Amino acid sequence: MLKVRNLWKSFNSDTDFQIDVFEGFNLEIEKNTCTAIIGPNGCGKSTLLNLVSGSLPVDKGKIILNNEDITSLPEEKRALKLGRVHQSPSMGVSPSLTILENLSLANKKGETFSLRGLVKKKNLEMFIQMLQDLDLGLEDKLHTQVKYLSGGQRQSLSLIMAAMKHPDLLLLDEHTAALDPKTSHVVMEKTRELLQKHHITTMMVSHHMGDALKYSQRIIMLDKGKIILDKPSADVSENELLDIYKAKLAERIIA
Amino acid sequence: MNSLIITSLEQGLIFAVLAMGVTITYKILDIADLSVEGTFPLGAFVFAKFAMAGFSPITSSLLAFGYGSLAGLVTALLFVKLKIRPLLAGILTMTMLYSFNLRLNGKANIPLFSLNSLFSDISALVLMVAVVIGIKLLLDAFLKTEIGYLLITTGDNEALVRSLGENSNKYKIIGLMLANGLVALSGSLMAQYQGFVDITMGASIIVVALASIIIGETVSKSSSFLSITTRAIIGAVSYKLIGGIAIDLGMSPTDLRAISAIIVIVFISYNNFSSPFIKSIKKQGGKARVKSKKPLEEL
C-alpha cells in the first residue's frame, strides 16, 4: 500500500539551526488498516504526513503508493489519491460556502472542473444520506454557510468531504485536537464508522494515547525521526505507552 | 438637481462595472490588486487607439476588456510565478502600464468628441443599466459554475482547492484577468462618456472601487440575500450619488478623493473594531457552554 523508503528530511539546511528530522526513515502501511502515529512534539509525525501528502518536498528517498512512485508529484496531483483532515476545522472546508456547496465540490474531486453549474439536484439524496449518517442534524442545514457551524460539525463535514471519493489513503492530522473532549469523542466515533464502512486505509497522527490505541489496528511511536515502537494496538496498553513517553520526555529535559 | 442625479447615476453605473471587477480580487480572492490604477486608463487608451483607427465602439470596448485581462495576467504571473507579493505585483504592473498607456497613442490626453461612441445613438442611462445588468447576470452565473466555485474557494481556503486535485494558482490567474478586464471596460466606458482620455484618470481609482464595495456592503448589510455583485452596483451608484450631492451642496470636486479615502478608513476601522467586540460576546457564550459539560475524563 504505502511504502516510505529511505526518507531524508531536514529543515534550515546549511545553517547553524539545521534540524535533521528523518535520516533514512522507512515505513510500510498495509491496506485497509488504520495506523496510528504517536510521539512527543518534534518527533516528526506531522512532518511525515506533510511529506506523504506533498505539502513538503522530500530531501531524499521515495514515497510509493499502490506501487506508484509519487515522490515527485505535486501536492494537488497527489491529492487525487489521498484524503486529508487537518487539525484546524476550517482547513478542510470553504467557510463562506454552504454545506451543500462544499459537498458538491468534494464530489467533483478528480473530475474536470468546467463552466457547468456545480450544485446538482441529482446528488442531493446522496448528500442528505451522508449527513444523516453523521447524526449531527446537518441534513437540515444544507444551505447554511459552513462558517456558522461549530468546530465539531465542521470537522465532521471535513471528514466526509475528505473520504467521499474513497481515497487510497486517508491522512488524519490530529483532526480532533482542536475540539473539546465530548465533541472529539463524537468525531472519532464517526471516523471509525466511516473508515470501517468504506474500508479506507488510514494514517492517523494523534497526541491522544487513548484514542490512538482505541481506534487503530497498529500503533507506531516515533522519537527523533525513528520508530521506537511498532506493535498491533491490541498488544499495547495505554500505561506502557505513557511510560515510554515519559521516559523520552525526561531524556529530553536532562539532555 | 435632476440632471445632477442622472449624471451621477450614469457615472455610478460606469463605476459599478469597475466595482464588480475589483470585488473579484478584493472580496473573492482577498487580494488588494493595485494594477487597476493602470488598467482603468488602459481601457480608455485602448478604446481611443482602436476607435481612432476606425473600429466600431463595440469592438473597441471589447478590445479594452481584452487588453485589461492581459494586464491582469501580467500581475497574476508576477505574483504566482515570480512569487512577488500581490500588492507589489500590482504596483509594478500599474507602473509599467503608465508608460505603456502613454506609448499607445503617443499622447497623455486625447479628445474623443468627434468619434462615435456607444453612447452616440442611445441614452447613456438606458445603455448603462443594460450593460450593468448584463455583466451582473453573467458574473452571477459564472460564480455558480464549477470553475466559479473554485475561484471563491481559492480566496476562502486554498488548501481545499489543492486537496480537490486543482492548482489554486490557475484560479488566481482567472480572477485577476476577469477583474482587470472589467476594470478596463469600465475605463473605456468612462472615456466614451466624458469624451476624452487622460493619463491621470486612473489615479486613486482603487479607493473609489473600495469605497463603493464597502458602501455596498454596509447599505445592504441587513439583507444576506443580496449577491456581492448587486452590493457592488448599489455601492458604486450610492458613492457617486453622495459625491454628486456633496459637490452640488458646494464641496470642491478636488476634495472628493480625500472624502473617498476617509469613507474607506471609517468603514474598515468600524468593521475591525466592532467585530472583536461582537466576537468576545459570542466567545463568552461559547465558554459558558463548554464549562457546563462534564469534566475531562482524560485528566
Side-chain angles (χ1 to χ4, degrees):
Chain A
M1 176 69 223
L2 175 77
K3 290 175 190 155
V4 177
R5 288 270 173 270
N6 191 26
L7 184 70
W8 291 70
K9 180 70 188 173
S10 24
F11 291 106
N12 313 322
S13 302
D14 303 321
T15 69
D16 293 344
F17 308 101
Q18 179 162 340
I19 302 162
D20 301 311
V21 184
F22 292 115
E23 297 171 296
F25 181 81
N26 288 295
L27 176 70
E28 211 161 302
I29 301 248
E30 270 116 62
K31 214 172 157 61
N32 298 338
T33 56
C34 177
T35 305
I37 311 228
I38 55 171
N41 282 327
C43 71
K45 52 190 192 307
S46 289
T47 306
L48 181 62
L49 279 199
N50 285 329
L51 292 171
V52 170
S53 74
S55 311
L56 286 174
V58 305
D59 291 347
K60 221 167 82 180
K62 278 193 181 352
I63 293 165
I64 297 156
L65 186 66
N66 285 336
N67 298 322
E68 186 194 348
D69 186 352
I70 59 165
T71 322
S72 56
L73 281 186
E75 190 181 1
E76 67 267 15
K77 294 274 182 282
R78 277 192 221 189
L80 295 174
K81 306 168 198 299
L82 302 173
R84 185 171 186 180
V85 186
H86 299 263
Q87 182 175 354
S88 158
S90 49
M91 283 283 281
V93 290
S94 194
S96 70
L97 300 184
T98 65
I99 293 183
L100 179 59
E101 290 164 339
N102 269 283
L103 290 171
S104 304
L105 273 178
N107 193 43
K108 276 296 288 181
K109 176 172 171 173
E111 297 170 39
T112 313
F113 285 81
S114 70
L115 282 173
R116 279 181 304 231
L118 174 74
V119 180
K120 295 189 182 73
K121 278 218 174 87
K122 64 172 180 158
N123 296 324
L124 208 58
E125 243 174 76
M126 176 178 78
F127 294 152
I128 289 175
Q129 187 59 50
M130 285 176 185
L131 294 171
Q132 277 172 347
D133 288 347
L134 275 183
D135 202 18
L136 295 171
L138 292 181
E139 62 273 15
D140 302 327
K141 296 185 175 174
L142 275 174
H143 299 287
T144 304
Q145 281 178 296
V146 170
K147 63 181 169 192
Y148 296 119
L149 302 182
S150 71
Q153 289 173 327
R154 260 187 279 176
Q155 206 61 326
S156 307
L157 184 64
S158 301
L159 184 71
I160 56 171
M161 284 170 67
M164 195 185 290
K165 301 302 255 187
H166 304 165
D168 294 342
L169 177 67
L170 181 67
L171 306 171
L172 302 176
D173 189 0
E174 298 187 46
H175 73 304
T176 60
L179 307 175
D180 66 76
K182 193 179 164 192
T183 315
S184 163
H185 178 74
V186 172
V187 174
M188 277 315 306
E189 286 297 326
K190 299 297 164 201
T191 308
R192 169 149 70 185
E193 283 166 26
L194 199 72
L195 298 187
Q196 281 174 354
K197 189 172 172 188
H198 301 296
H199 309 289
I200 298 172
T201 314
T202 309
M203 234 169 111
M204 174 173 86
V205 161
S206 180
H207 254 310
H208 193 292
M209 306 279 169
D211 278 356
L213 277 178
K214 188 173 167 190
Y215 295 102
S216 69
Q217 282 91 52
R218 178 182 170 196
I219 194 139
I220 291 176
M221 190 188 271
L222 294 184
D223 184 51
K224 295 175 188 155
K226 293 192 174 56
I227 295 176
I228 56 168
L229 179 135
D230 183 356
K231 281 186 175 174
S233 306
D235 299 350
V236 198
S237 75
E238 196 173 340
N239 284 336
E240 190 182 336
L241 290 180
L242 280 171
D243 286 342
I244 307 176
Y245 210 93
K246 278 179 197 156
K248 283 293 163 195
L249 283 178
E251 244 176 57
R252 285 183 175 206
I253 292 163
I254 295 161
Chain B
M1 189 69 193
N2 265 341
S3 79
L4 172 89
I5 288 178
I6 288 175
T7 310
S8 301
L9 265 177
E10 289 164 349
Q11 290 191 359
L13 288 166
I14 292 174
F15 278 134
V17 178
L18 164 84
M20 283 191 277
V22 175
T23 293
I24 297 171
T25 46
Y26 182 71
K27 291 301 294 178
I28 297 181
L29 286 178
D30 201 15
I31 294 173
D33 173 31
L34 284 187
S35 37
V36 299
E37 300 248 326
T39 39
F40 189 76
L42 172 72
F45 278 91
V46 168
F47 176 85
K49 170 105 183 160
F50 288 100
M52 287 192 299
F55 285 82
S56 75
I58 292 179
T59 313
S60 308
S61 303
L62 290 175
L63 282 165
F65 178 89
Y67 273 70
S69 309
L70 289 178
L73 178 65
V74 171
T75 306
L77 292 178
L78 290 178
F79 164 38
V80 165
K81 295 287 174 198
L82 304 181
K83 311 280 178 211
I84 297 171
R85 282 166 187 253
L87 196 64
L88 182 57
I91 292 173
L92 292 171
T93 306
M94 170 183 102
T95 310
M96 289 189 283
L97 283 176
Y98 184 83
S99 303
F100 182 83
N101 288 341
L102 285 175
R103 200 169 249 279
L104 208 52
N105 297 285
K107 277 190 268 184
N109 47 64
I110 306 153
L112 299 172
F113 299 106
S114 56
L115 295 172
N116 259 335
S117 83
L118 288 174
F119 305 116
S120 297
D121 305 319
I122 186 168
S123 124
L125 189 60
V126 172
L127 179 68
M128 278 319 300
V129 167
V131 167
V132 166
I133 290 178
I135 291 174
K136 180 207 139 49
L137 293 177
L138 277 175
L139 257 185
D140 286 350
F142 170 69
L143 291 174
K144 292 280 174 207
T145 65
E146 293 160 1
I147 291 177
Y149 272 110
L150 282 181
L151 182 73
I152 299 172
T153 306
T154 299
D156 231 14
N157 178 4
E158 264 191 82
L160 179 62
V161 177
R162 286 196 297 270
S163 82
L164 294 169
E166 289 288 311
N167 187 342
S168 52
N169 286 338
K170 188 169 120 191
Y171 299 94
K172 289 182 193 162
I173 295 173
I174 292 176
L176 278 161
M177 287 183 73
L178 192 55
N180 280 290
L182 287 173
V183 172
L185 177 63
S186 170
S188 82
L189 291 168
M190 187 49 96
Q192 295 174 65
Y193 182 78
Q194 64 189 14
F196 64 90
V197 173
D198 188 85
I199 190 69
T200 62
M201 64 191 281
S204 65
I205 202 82
I206 184 75
V207 179
V208 174
L210 293 184
S212 305
I213 292 169
I214 290 166
I215 292 172
E217 272 181 358
T218 315
V219 164
S220 39
K221 212 170 195 172
S222 52
S223 164
S224 59
F225 296 105
L226 285 181
S227 63
I228 50 172
T229 46
T230 310
R231 286 171 198 271
I233 297 167
I234 294 174
V237 172
S238 320
Y239 170 83
K240 266 289 157 189
L241 279 175
I242 296 166
I245 291 166
I247 290 170
D248 195 55
L249 291 175
M251 196 186 75
S252 155
T254 47
D255 289 342
L256 199 58
R257 282 194 185 169
I259 304 285
S260 324
I262 291 167
I263 290 175
V264 174
I265 294 169
V266 168
F267 280 97
I268 291 183
S269 57
Y270 169 76
N271 286 335
N272 287 349
F273 285 106
S274 64
S275 53
F277 174 67
I278 294 164
K279 271 183 202 155
S280 74
I281 294 172
K282 280 186 187 159
K283 240 187 198 159
Q284 276 173 13
K287 267 184 199 160
R289 231 162 36 100
V290 174
K291 265 185 195 162
S292 72
K293 281 180 182 154
K294 288 209 167 133
L296 320 181
E297 290 163 1
E298 282 82 357
L299 293 179

